Structures are given as C-alpha cells and as structure tokens.
Amino acid sequence: MDFKSTLHLPDAEATIPMKANLPTLEPSIQQIWDSEAIYHKLQEARKDCPSYVLHDGPPYTNSPIHIGTAMNKILKDFVLKSRQMMGFRTPYVPGFDNHGLPIEQAVMKKFVEKKITPTIPELRQACRDHASEYLAIQRDQFKRLGIFGLWEKPYTTMDFRFEAEIVRVFRRLVEKGYVYKGLRPTLWSPTSRTALADTEIEYHDHVSKAIYVRFPLKSDPNQELAGLDNVYTVIWTTTPWTIPANLACAFHPEFNYDVVKVGNDHYIILQDLVAKVAEKVGWAEYTTVKTLEGINFDKIEFKHPIFDRSSLAVMADYVTTEDGTGVVHTAPSHGRDDFFTGQKYNLGVPNTVDERGVLTHEAGEFEGVFYKNCDTVVVERLQEVGALLSVSDYQHSYPYAERDGQPVIFRATEQWFLSLEHEGLRGRMLDSIQDVNWVPSQGQNRIEAMIRNRPDWCISRQRPWGVGIPVFYGRKSRVPVLDPVAIDAVANLVEAEGSDAWFIKEAADILPAGYVHPETGETEFDKETDVLDVWFDSGSTSLAVLEGNVYPEWKENWPADIYLEGSDQHRGWFNTSLILGQATRDGAPYNTVLTHGFVTDGEGRKMSKRLGNVVDPVKACADYGADVVRYWVAGTDYANDVPCSDPILKQFGESYRNIRNALRFLIGNLKGHTADSVETLLPIDQWFIEQADLLVTDCIDAYERFDFGTVMSSVHNFCRQQLSAFYADAVKDRMYCDAEDSAERRSGQQACYEVAEKLIKLIAPVLVHTAEESWLKMHETLGVKPTSVFFETFDAVSIDEIEGSELQQRFAAVIAAKQVVNSSFEPYKGTDGIKNSQDVVAKLAVDATEKQLLETFTADELANFFKVSWVELAEGEPAVTFVKSPYNECIRSRVRRPDVAEVEVDGEKVFLSARDRKVLDL
RNA sequence: GGGCUAAUAGCUCAGUUGGUUAGAGCACACCCCUGAUAAGGGUGAGGUCGCAGGUUCGAGUCCCGCUUGGCCCA
C-alpha cells in the first residue's frame, strides 16, 4: 500500500511558490492594483474614517530617482499604509518640483550644443518639456517601488493652476505686508551685466592688490582703550574698490587682540597675527600695551579712512586667525558674510557699484571710476590721507564667470525680500516650532537654530525658469505696484496660460483696463523680470495642495499631520514651508516632522559616481525586487545614516525568504479549510494564535512610533522561533497524518489560517507585493473571492488575558524544556548509532512546578513537541538522559511510540501506530 | 572653521533611569532531516561596545578630549 498517498501533505499549488521571483512578480501585482484603481478604492473605503494626511515633499524633476529618493518615498509609504491599516483614511498626493536652475542649465547645455540662443519663451518651453520627461520617469519608478498615491494627478509646481496659486500666495504676503524690496550682494558679471548663480562660477588664479588700511578710533563707549592716544585698527583686503562701501570692522568675539604701540600710534590687531602684520607693513619695533578679547570691542566706532562717517566694530565668527589682521573689512554690499553681519547690526547696503562695474554717486568722490581702476585710485587716496600701511600684489583664486571667462564681483542689487521681523514673524515661528512633534527630537534644535539665525528671505532670482514675480513698475517712476488687484490679474493670466504668459504679454494686456498706479497715478507699466526662488514654490505647497483651491480633490485639513523628509530639509523645505505657513495662516504647516538620514555605501561613505559606490534603486528592483529594497529600508535605522550596498541588500533578501517560507507553509496547510469550521482549538493552536496576538500588539505599537525596524525584526523572529522552530514541527504530524476532517486537523488549520492572516497584514505596509500575493493566494485556496489586503485593518486585541495566562505558562515550560532537550541531545548524537532525536526516549527530570506544568500534556504530545520518540518525566535536579527508543517506527507517520504495532496490509506486514491504524480504518 | 549627529560581533540592528558571564537575525562552520526540500531543524564559533582619560563600589550606558563618517553652513 502506498501510505504516502494517504497523507495530507502541503499542496504546492495551494500556496505561494517558494521562489518569489519578485522582479517579475511585482509588476504583475502592480498591474492588478492599477487596473483595480486600488488607491481610489482604498480612499473610498475609508471615506468616513478619520484622516491621516502626509504632505509630500516634491523631488526635483531633473534626473531619474536615486536610492535616497527611493528610501524617502518608501518610508512615506510605510507610514501611510500602516495608518491605513490602523483604520485611517490616508490620502497621498505626490508632488514634483519643476522650476529652477538645474533644469535650466541642463536645457541650456542642449541649446549650446546645437548652437542656438533661445528666446525666454523658447527656453521656458524646453525647461517644461525637460521637467515633464523626468516627472514621468520618476513617477513610473516610484510606482515600481510599490508606492500608492494619486499618481494620475500629482501636484507639479509648473502646472498652470499651481503656478497661479504660487502667485496668490505672494499676494497674501503682500496683503499682510511681509514683502519689501531691498539691496543684497549678488555674484555679478560686469561684462555680461547679469547676476550669476554659484554653479556658473569657476575659480582661476588672479592677482589682486592687497592693502593694509588703518581706521582711527572714533568713539569708545566702553572705555576699554581709555588713556591711549592715536588708536587705530587695521584691516586687510584684496578688493580696494569695496573700501568706499565699508561700514564696519568685524572682530571675533572670543579671540584675543593685542593693542601694540608703534611710535606714537596704537594698533589693535589679532594677537596671533601681530608679528605677521608688523613684518608686512614694516614696523621695526612695537610693544604690546594691552590685550583684549574681541567681545570688548563691541559697539566701539572707528572712522572711515576717507569719508566722514563711522565704521562700527561688529562681532563675527567667520573671522579667522589665518589671513589679514583678524579684523575684517566689512562692506555689506560686497560679500555674503558682510551682508548678514550688516543685517544683524542694521548697517544698510550702499549701492556703490552699478551694473557695468562703475562706482556710483554713493561712492562719493569715486563716482565714475571702473571698479578695477580703484586698485590705483582708491589706493592713492588712502595713501594721501595716511591710512595706507601697505600695498602689494597678491595671488589667489578668484571667481570668474563660466560663460565669458571674465572676473566677477559681488555687488548690491535690488531684490525682493520676505521680512521675518514683520509682525514678529520670527518669534511666532519659534513658538510654533515648540508645538510640532519632531521625530527624532534633535530635529527641533536644528530648525530652531536655523530660524533664529536666518536672515530675511530673499525670494527673487534673476533667472528665466520660474514663476515670474507678479509686480509691475510705473514706467517713469519705477515705483513698484504692490496691489492685490494687480497681482490677482496676473494670477488669472497664469492660471489660464501659465507663468510663461507673464513673460510674453505686455503689462497693459494683463492689468485691468484703465488700471492706475495706486501710489503715483501712472497708467503705463513695465513688468518685473525676476522670478521667485524655487524654495518659494515648494514652500507654498501645503497651501496650494491642502487648501484645495488648485484642484478640489487635493483638499485636506491644514496643517498636515506629517512631513517626512531627509534631515537636510531643516534648512530647506521644513524651513520655507514654515515661513509661508506662519505668514499666511499663522501656524506651522505640519503637526509632526519625521526626518531620516542619508544613504551611504557599505562603508558609511557618501555615494558618488566618482567612487562608483552608487546603488541604483531601479536596478535593485530588477535584481532583488522592490520588497527587498523596502525590507532594507525597514531594517535600517533611518534616524541615522543608512548604509546600502549589494551585500546588504542580499542579506535582507535572505531574511525575506525566511518570512516568505513561513507564510508558504501556513497557507500550504489550508486546503479544505473554511474559516468558520472550528469552534474549539487544541491548546497548542490556541497558544500559537495568542503568540501571534502578542506580536500584533507589539507591531502596531511600533508602527505608531514609526519604528519599522522593530516590526520587521519582531515578525522575522516570530517566523523563526515560534513558527519554524516550534509550531511547524509540532503541527506537521497532525496536519499530514490525521484524518482530513478530524477536529485536531481542523484546529491546526484554523491556527494556521488565523496566524497567516495576522502575519500577512503585519508585513503588508513593508512587503507590499508579497503580502498581496499571499493574501490573494490564501483566499483563493480558501475559496473566498479575494480583495486586496490593504482594505484590512490590523487585528488589535487585548493581550491582558494572554500575558501570564496558564496556557502561556504551560508552553513557556515546554519551550524551556525543549531547549534543554536540544542542547543535551547534541553531545549524545553519534553514541549508539543515534543521529536523530526521533530515535531516542528522553528521560527528563525537572523541578516540581515545571513537572506540574508539563504533566498537563500527554507523553504523546510532549514527544511531538520535543521531536523525540517518547518522553518520561521525573521530579528532581533538572537533567535529561537519553536511551535508544525500543519502539518500532510507524511506516506512515514515522513516529516511534509504544502503540506502534505490526499489522498486515495488502498481504504485507507493516508497523503502524494506533492513530494511523484508525485513520486507515485498519 | 561653526551648528546638528553618529560610532556595539563580518553585515543589519537591540541594549529602559549606570548593576550579575553584552543580546537577536543574516552570513559562516559542523550535524540532522529529505513529507515546508534551490526549504526546515539542532549546535557552535564570532565583540578589550571607535581611541584615550575621568566620575563611581561598579560604565556600552554619565563627563572631557581625540579620531573617523554623515547632513547643513562658512
């Protein structure tokens, strides 16, 4: 008789295949999601539930996604899918950031190759096309990662209606009085008369005139220098043309400065640099008369060496002990540091150089001098007034414009600003920060420091690819129109024809007929040519998306529940979104901000093409599958830097297989099972389900804390320990050998079913494809019409009655005893020809309590749990001994029990256990 | 140079308020099973917790310095 055919072995057809083949499986599952419009159905299914809104930070559309972008989107998907399965409605409108310099430069490169000089509308169209191309690529790549969202209607900052909303956000700021025009230093090419971006600069060797200049002390309110005559400080600069714009001398507050006496004069110079300066300016002898910390000079005034005005002593931490004198010439119009220091001290920004590089009337007697000629004109004048201590040629690296190879300068240009001081905006933001949940909490320090120290936001850029700043100027007066009516006219145009139209149409065609300048009464206008900083675009997204004025289907409560981005966005998106949120709606646009670190290579180093250590997420999906990539994201500590490499992905692939095979086993036992077929469960089955309940409770808690690592390691450990190492071994005999319809077998099936269901749901937010595959297959096997696992909710149960229950104690005793049996058996192996624990009887001595717990099971059950032939219990010092089993092996179930007896079947004598004889009706 | 942050077995991670021989999984070695089988089980070998000081009866855990990596800024 073929006994094997009478067993109920797992049916390979009834369960998921062992080999996942994720790279081909995943697209087929995504196909189902697409055709079923899964995202929409999920929203619909939760339409009356509380919402959990994640507002997406838009990636920039100038390249395919990289592993960092992939990780970010995957983390967002974890958050949304886990909240969805907690019962929330979780809408997700993905975003894309389209305007800005990198796209413009990529497009320009193509024009240059074709030797075409595009008009602005042509250039903008090419930028739009470029952005659209990569937007489509990125969208498909994100979908390949298994990300759910409103992919057919993402928000894109170049969408006409979105651009119009950005214009309207600008209007709201104007209405509330935050917007002003001011001067700010910009990198400027005097030869091509344009502002330049940092990326358009290259550094070359350059010879400048380096000068040491003395500034006489004018007033000394602190009396730090009382009693000293002829006191000066000394600055060093390589740009003599900026001397007319000098407004301050910067000291480092913590460094020591010496006051040295040279002849009848006293000079304040950084202690470490005195000797160097003395040599440069030719002081043969000097004596130090006093030493002061930089902070002591705060608010002291010096006199400008040429003009009759003061030069304030200010504190700055960028002062170094390397070059110059330790006292930094500060001209807010001509350097970024200088400008920010100037802002802090309210120094103003003189406009001393015009667009041609020629000094203006604000430079007084130097008006009309080309900046380079100041090397002689200004230097001679300093010499005349006795302020020049030294002049020499100085070779250093200096910025040149890439486009014409000519040197560039920093010059003050008119820019649009958003004031952080208006209506106490900065303070209100600092207050709002306190109410936001920063995860991890260090994020709060970081953004607080940045908001506290950042200057007013310069929101204008002299660039073609962006949203045009909707400001008109009176043609004659040049007075800007900051009028909501005029801005709305622009918004309406942009909504209909895009921001491109702003660059094409005349002012008269945009403004309402007969529009009159509210301040000057003029009727003829010119348009602003600057565009908004791209951070203004992205800073507006919470308003544009959540307020629902652009597309009503995006509308959700403002603020969003959560923002989730890399830690670099403290300076970027979190920062600018906060400014615009606070200015327009007096609050932060987010309740929680979750940040993650950056992806590094396996050695913890930054990924770069040069080092060749880049992991491509698209290739990783093709090699390992998106679920493995997602498992990697879940399994790493995203609060810190996250290492990624082929070996690391491979490792997660191994762990993945373990979970997969556990599910495969559970589902493989479900054939013939119906969910409501079992009323009473065997103790071990009850125990197994309860263990899964404990797991579910831990995992829900971890999901709530965004701790995906704990979810996956808990699930993995459950599959290894409770499931594979214990329950699966114990349940097999029953599943395979008992009668198909026996209560025992049905009980086991019920446990397998319930636990499979719980496990699949738990892994669903992370291993999306595997969960869906398993869910569908399981229901197919059960003969139930399958729907997506994502409609389900986690099986939250109260575990109060589980923890410490008698049942749990009984099995804790079993597992503890099993461990003792295992480790004791290891050295016994090989003796007496014994290789397998099934061939021995275990004589187990345990203490009284343990014995009592173990005795609640039959010897038959214990033998099954321990995978031995038979078990004999005794009370005593804990110990295990083994003897070779005296019992025959059942040919059908392979057990070696006392009840195995010889019977004749089909004329053949075989050994069968009592249970097997019964099942076979023998 | 400044701000924020990290460093625990080959790899990915746990290690509550300082307290017995520092845990788990993956990988590895040996063994078992061959009715989860390109699976599963058992056992084991891997760590002076980045380095150097300090506080303490006692430190992976607290303090100081250094080294190395990461993000942001200069």
Side-chain angles (χ1 to χ4, degrees), chain A residues 726-785:
Chain A
F726 182 66
Y727 182 78
D729 270 342
V731 81
K732 277 176 192 168
D733 177 73
R734 205 161 13 119
M735 297 308 296
Y736 301 168
C737 307
D738 275 15
E740 188 165 15
D741 277 326
S742 67
E744 291 82 359
R745 192 163 180 279
R746 290 303 182 211
S747 171
Q749 282 189 318
Q750 180 68 15
C752 288
Y753 165 69
E754 286 192 33
V755 173
E757 196 175 69
K758 290 173 204 284
L759 279 178
I760 293 169
K761 290 183 197 175
L762 285 182
I763 62 168
V766 177
L767 306 178
V768 285
H769 306 94
T770 304
E772 192 73 303
E773 176 199 15
S774 306
W775 190 257
L776 297 179
K777 188 70 197 179
M778 179 171 80
H779 286 90
E780 187 190 308
T781 296
L782 292 170
V784 178
K785 188 174 178 288

Side-chain angles (χ1 to χ4, degrees), chain A residues 679-696:
Chain A
E679 282 171 17
T680 51
L681 290 163
L682 261 49
I684 188 174
D685 296 330
Q686 179 68 34
W687 169 85
F688 186 48
I689 292 167
E690 288 182 3
Q691 286 288 307
D693 284 334
L694 294 172
L695 173 73
V696 171

